[in-house]
Amino acid sequence: MSPLSISERLDKQRTLRDWLRWQLAETDRTIRELEAEEKEQARRKDVARREQAWKVQPSRAVEGQPMLHRGGCGLYDRGGGILDADEVLIALREFPGMEMCEICNPWGSLAQFGIEKPLPRKLPGGGTP
């Protein structure tokens, strides 16, 4: 037989149950915090990857040229994939007159590959934008 009375054993079990509930709540809180940290880390990693990549906006006119943007540029955010440096070089060979976004300045990140800033584009009337 147990040296504790039924009442004492019942109190002990209730205390244990309360402690286990507290422990579970703490564990759940820790899991939520870690999941949030993991999600934020993945978001930051994606932002960094986009900032070190590029994307091409198709030409809006038949005779126009596509436009190159940094991967994180918000001016063109529709569809298309992210390009690495080799793919950008291929695109520039295929479209030598490709325009470069004047907001996100993709040529700055391409200078390490020997790509110079292009001349300002000309408007149909001869002026610059």
Side-chain angles (χ1 to χ4, degrees):
M1 228 55 219
S2 174
L4 298 175
S5 70
I6 293 175
S7 180
E8 291 171 326
R9 287 186 295 166
L10 187 57
D11 284 344
K12 187 176 180 182
Q13 290 301 310
R14 286 181 178 142
T15 301
L16 177 60
R17 180 193 59 200
D18 291 344
W19 181 81
L20 289 171
R21 280 183 181 156
W22 176 83
Q23 195 67 8
L24 178 60
E26 286 296 303
T27 301
D28 286 342
R29 183 186 56 76
T30 301
I31 288 171
R32 283 190 305 274
E33 288 173 358
L34 290 171
E35 287 172 343
E37 286 179 33
E38 184 178 54
K39 187 176 179 180
E40 177 62 15
Q41 184 180 37
R43 186 196 67 78
R44 286 181 182 189
K45 187 175 181 181
D46 184 57
V47 167
R49 180 183 65 83
R50 285 182 164 278
E51 286 303 316
Q52 296 176 7
W54 301 267
K55 55 189 173 184
V56 175
Q57 176 181 357
S59 172
R60 291 179 270 179
V62 175
E63 65 279 348
Q65 291 290 324
M67 183 178 286
L68 186 67
H69 296 271
R70 294 293 304 263
C73 182
L75 288 182
Y76 178 68
D77 212 10
R78 290 180 239 132
I82 297 294
L83 306 176
D84 63 22
D86 292 334
E87 293 167 324
V88 170
L89 294 173
I90 292 168
L92 288 170
R93 279 195 298 271
E94 188 172 334
F95 300 100
M98 183 181 295
E99 297 176 8
M100 302 218 182
C101 177
E102 294 178 10
I103 303 300
C104 65
N105 303 324
W107 56 83
S109 60
L110 292 170
Q112 62 185 326
F113 304 107
I115 298 171
E116 304 268 333
K117 179 178 178 179
L119 297 172
R121 52 188 177 130
K122 299 284 184 193
L123 293 176
T128 57

